[in-house]
Amino acid sequence: MSDEVQYETLGWNLAFGHGYSLSLTAPYEPTAIREPVYPLFIAFIYKIFGRQYLFIYIGQISIFCLSCILIFKIYKELFELKTAKYSAFLTTVCPTLSSYSVIFYSESLFIFLLSLTVYFAILAKKTENKKWFIAVGVTMGLVILTKAVMFFFPIFIVIFFLLSRNKNLNIAYIANIILFIFSIAIILTPWILRNYSLFGIKSLASSRAEIILLSRAMKTDYSLEKIKMAYVYGFSEYLGSKLFPMAIEKSRDFLLDDDHVAYKMEKELLGQGYTQKEVSSMLRKKAITKIKRHPFKYILQTPFEFFKMMSFMHIPLLNETNIINRFKEINGGLIILSGIKGIYKTAGYFIIFLAGIGIYIKRKEWIQHFIPLALILYINLIHSFLYGYARYSVPLIPFYFMYMVIGLMAIIERWQNKQNLARINYLLC
C-alpha cells in the first residue's frame, strides 16, 4: 500500500469501529505501521461526514490557513513586522505547501502542529507561565505521534528553555520544564503501551525505523554505475530516464526503490509467521550487518541523502500518473514537465543560499532563534544520516522563507547603499 492508501484505510477503519487496522475486510488485524494522529484526523472527519474525500481536503486547507496565521505570529515574535509580512506571504502562496492540502499525506497536519509547538515554546519562554509549558508539551507529543522521527527533538526545546534563563534558573522554572517533559510523556504513553501489549515493541511505529535504516544500508551495495544513476535521478527524473532508460519502468519510483524492497521484506517475514517484534529485530540486524561491512560507504552516502532533502521545492501533483499522461499527449510535453520541475527545484537551492545568508546575519541572536535553527538542523541531519527524501523537508519551508527574506533584504539594502554611494561620488566629482 502507498502512504496515502495506508492513511486513508486506517482513518476509515477507525471511524467505523474496525480498530487501528490496514485490513480491508474482517478480521481487522491491528497494526502499528503508522503513527496515529493523522489517521485519527481522517477518522474524525469521516465520522462526521462519511467517506467523502472532499471534506478531508477542506479540513486540510483550513489547517493550512491556520498554519499560515501561526507562522506569521512566529515571524512577528522573531523579526520586525515587515519581514514577518513578506515571509508569511511567501508561505501562503507557496505551491509546494498548499499542494499537500489536497493529498492524503500527514504534512499539512504536521506543519500545523509543529508551528503550534514553536509558537507555544516562544510564549513559554517569554511569559514563563506554566500553562504554556504544558501546552508546548502536549503539542510536542502530538507532533511525535504524527512523525516519530521527532522523538528526540524535545531535547532541543529543553536546551532552549535552559539557555533562555542562562544562570538565573530557579525551582519554579525547572518545575515548568519538568511539566513540559511530563506532558509529552502523558501524550505518548498510551500509544507506546498499546504497541507493547499487542506487538511486544517499545516504539511508536512497528519496523518503520528498521525499514528506513535498511533502505539506507542497502545503498552500500550500490555499484559505481548505480551511484551515478541515483545522483542523476536525484537531480532530474527526466534526465535520468534519458541517460539510464533501462533503469526502471517508472522514473519517479527510482529513489524509493530500496524503500519498497525493505517494506516487501517486512511483509514477507510477517507472512511467514514471525511476530512484529521478531521482524523488527531481523530487519535491524540485516541493516547493521550491511553497515558494518561497509561503514565508510554508509557515511559517504550522507551528502546524497542531504542532496535529496535539498529538493524540497516540488509539486506532488506533477508526479500523479494522470498529470504525466496529459503532458505525454502534448508534443514535447515531458520536456516541458521536466522543465517546470527543474526550474521549481532550482528555486529551492536559491532559497537555501539566501536562507544561509539570513542565518549568518542573525548569528548573534542565535538563542532567540534557537528553535527554528534547531529544527532546520535536526530534520536535515537525522534524515541525511538515515534516509533523505524531498518530502521530509517540506515542514522546513516556512522557516527557510523566514531567513531567506532576511538574506534577500540584506542584499537589496547593500546594493542600494552602493548605488547611493556611487551617486554621492558622482555629485562630488
Side-chain angles (χ1 to χ4, degrees), residues 48 54 63 93 107 178 199 204 274 288 292 311 369 385:
I48 297 173
L54 175 63
I63 282 174
V93 300
E107 267 63 27
I178 293 171
F199 309 108
L204 298 168
Y274 291 103
I288 292 171
K292 284 182 177 178
S311 302
H369 293 263
F385 280 106

Side-chain angles (χ1 to χ4, degrees), residues 224-293:
L224 181 60
E225 182 71 7
K226 194 165 184 181
I227 290 171
K228 289 192 294 184
M229 196 185 304
Y231 267 98
V232 173
Y233 269 100
F235 178 74
S236 169
E237 294 166 1
Y238 179 79
L239 187 61
S241 65
K242 292 300 178 185
L243 293 179
F244 305 100
M246 301 305 292
I248 50 169
E249 292 181 8
K250 295 181 179 179
S251 63
R252 71 192 186 98
D253 287 340
F254 178 79
L255 295 177
L256 292 174
D257 190 40
D258 296 315
D259 203 26
H260 294 157
V261 172
Y263 272 111
K264 185 180 178 182
M265 198 178 297
E266 182 206 36
K267 187 177 179 181
E268 288 175 352
L269 289 170
L270 289 171
Q272 292 170 20
Y274 291 103
T275 66
Q276 190 67 67
K277 184 178 180 181
E278 290 170 333
V279 171
S280 296
S281 177
M282 292 166 77
L283 294 177
R284 183 168 58 252
K285 286 178 181 177
K286 191 174 183 66
I288 292 171
T289 300
K290 285 182 176 292
I291 293 168
K292 284 182 177 178
R293 193 183 302 146

Side-chain angles (χ1 to χ4, degrees), residues 210-360:
E210 288 78 13
I211 287 171
I212 290 170
L213 187 66
L214 182 57
S215 298
R216 167 71 178 267
M218 283 180 182
K219 291 182 177 61
T220 59
D221 296 328
Y222 276 16
S223 63
L224 181 60
E225 182 71 7
K226 194 165 184 181
I227 290 171
K228 289 192 294 184
M229 196 185 304
Y231 267 98
V232 173
Y233 269 100
F235 178 74
S236 169
E237 294 166 1
Y238 179 79
L239 187 61
S241 65
K242 292 300 178 185
L243 293 179
F244 305 100
M246 301 305 292
I248 50 169
E249 292 181 8
K250 295 181 179 179
S251 63
R252 71 192 186 98
D253 287 340
F254 178 79
L255 295 177
L256 292 174
D257 190 40
D258 296 315
D259 203 26
H260 294 157
V261 172
Y263 272 111
K264 185 180 178 182
M265 198 178 297
E266 182 206 36
K267 187 177 179 181
E268 288 175 352
L269 289 170
L270 289 171
Q272 292 170 20
Y274 291 103
T275 66
Q276 190 67 67
K277 184 178 180 181
E278 290 170 333
V279 171
S280 296
S281 177
M282 292 166 77
L283 294 177
R284 183 168 58 252
K285 286 178 181 177
K286 191 174 183 66
I288 292 171
T289 300
K290 285 182 176 292
I291 293 168
K292 284 182 177 178
R293 193 183 302 146
H294 302 289
F296 294 108
K297 203 171 180 182
Y298 181 86
I299 294 168
L300 289 172
Q301 292 172 35
T302 302
F304 175 57
E305 301 301 330
F306 180 68
F307 176 65
K308 290 195 289 181
M309 296 285 286
M310 294 276 284
S311 302
F312 57 87
M313 290 298 279
H314 63 279
I315 303 174
L317 294 176
L318 293 181
N319 285 329
E320 294 295 322
T321 304
N322 60 329
I323 300 294
I324 295 172
N325 289 338
R326 288 186 183 181
F327 274 94
K328 283 181 178 178
E329 294 171 1
I330 304 170
N331 187 26
L334 288 181
I335 296 176
I336 295 170
L337 178 62
S338 181
I340 294 170
K341 288 182 179 181
I343 292 169
Y344 197 56
K345 184 184 287 188
T346 303
Y349 304 136
F350 184 63
I351 290 168
I352 286 286
F353 172 72
L354 290 174
I357 295 173
I359 290 170
Y360 178 77

Side-chain angles (χ1 to χ4, degrees), residues 13 35 44 52-53 74 79 82 106 123 128 131 137 144 152 173 180 232 250 253 256 287 357 361 397 417:
N13 283 336
E35 301 87 340
F44 175 75
Q52 300 290 330
Y53 295 169
I74 292 169
F79 300 107
K82 184 179 179 181
S106 60
L123 289 180
E128 297 187 8
K131 72 178 181 181
I144 294 168
F152 296 105
Y173 193 75
F180 160 70
V232 173
K250 295 181 179 179
D253 287 340
L256 292 174
I357 295 173
I361 290 169
I397 293 176
N417 289 339

Side-chain angles (χ1 to χ4, degrees), residues 79-225:
F79 300 107
E80 68 276 8
L81 185 60
K82 184 179 179 181
T83 303
K85 284 181 178 179
Y86 289 151
S87 305
F89 173 75
L90 288 172
T91 299
T92 305
V93 300
C94 176
T96 300
L97 292 172
S98 58
S99 65
Y100 275 93
S101 300
V102 290
I103 50 180
F104 280 81
Y105 282 148
S106 60
E107 267 63 27
S108 290
L109 184 60
F110 180 68
I111 291 169
F112 171 72
L113 291 171
L114 193 61
S115 302
L116 203 58
T117 301
V118 174
Y119 184 59
F120 284 164
I122 292 170
L123 289 180
K125 173 249 180 184
K126 186 177 179 179
T127 65
E128 297 187 8
N129 190 314
K130 63 182 178 183
K131 72 178 181 181
W132 295 120
F133 283 87
I134 294 171
V136 71
V138 170
T139 54
M140 187 70 243
L142 294 174
V143 164
I144 294 168
L145 288 180
T146 306
K147 288 191 180 291
V149 73
M150 298 301 293
F151 184 78
F152 296 105
F153 190 72
I155 296 170
F156 290 90
I157 296 181
V158 170
I159 293 171
F160 170 67
F161 289 148
L162 293 173
L163 287 172
S164 299
R165 286 298 296 264
N166 200 3
K167 296 179 181 179
N168 300 317
L169 289 173
N170 55 46
I171 294 175
Y173 193 75
I174 292 172
N176 284 340
I177 295 175
I178 293 171
L179 274 175
F180 160 70
I181 297 169
F182 185 67
S183 300
I184 296 174
I186 288 175
I187 297 297
L188 298 185
T189 299
W191 184 250
I192 293 173
L193 289 176
R194 178 258 184 192
N195 287 345
Y196 184 72
S197 64
L198 289 176
F199 309 108
I201 56 172
K202 299 175 183 177
S203 62
L204 298 168
S206 63
S207 300
R208 284 288 300 288
E210 288 78 13
I211 287 171
I212 290 170
L213 187 66
L214 182 57
S215 298
R216 167 71 178 267
M218 283 180 182
K219 291 182 177 61
T220 59
D221 296 328
Y222 276 16
S223 63
L224 181 60
E225 182 71 7

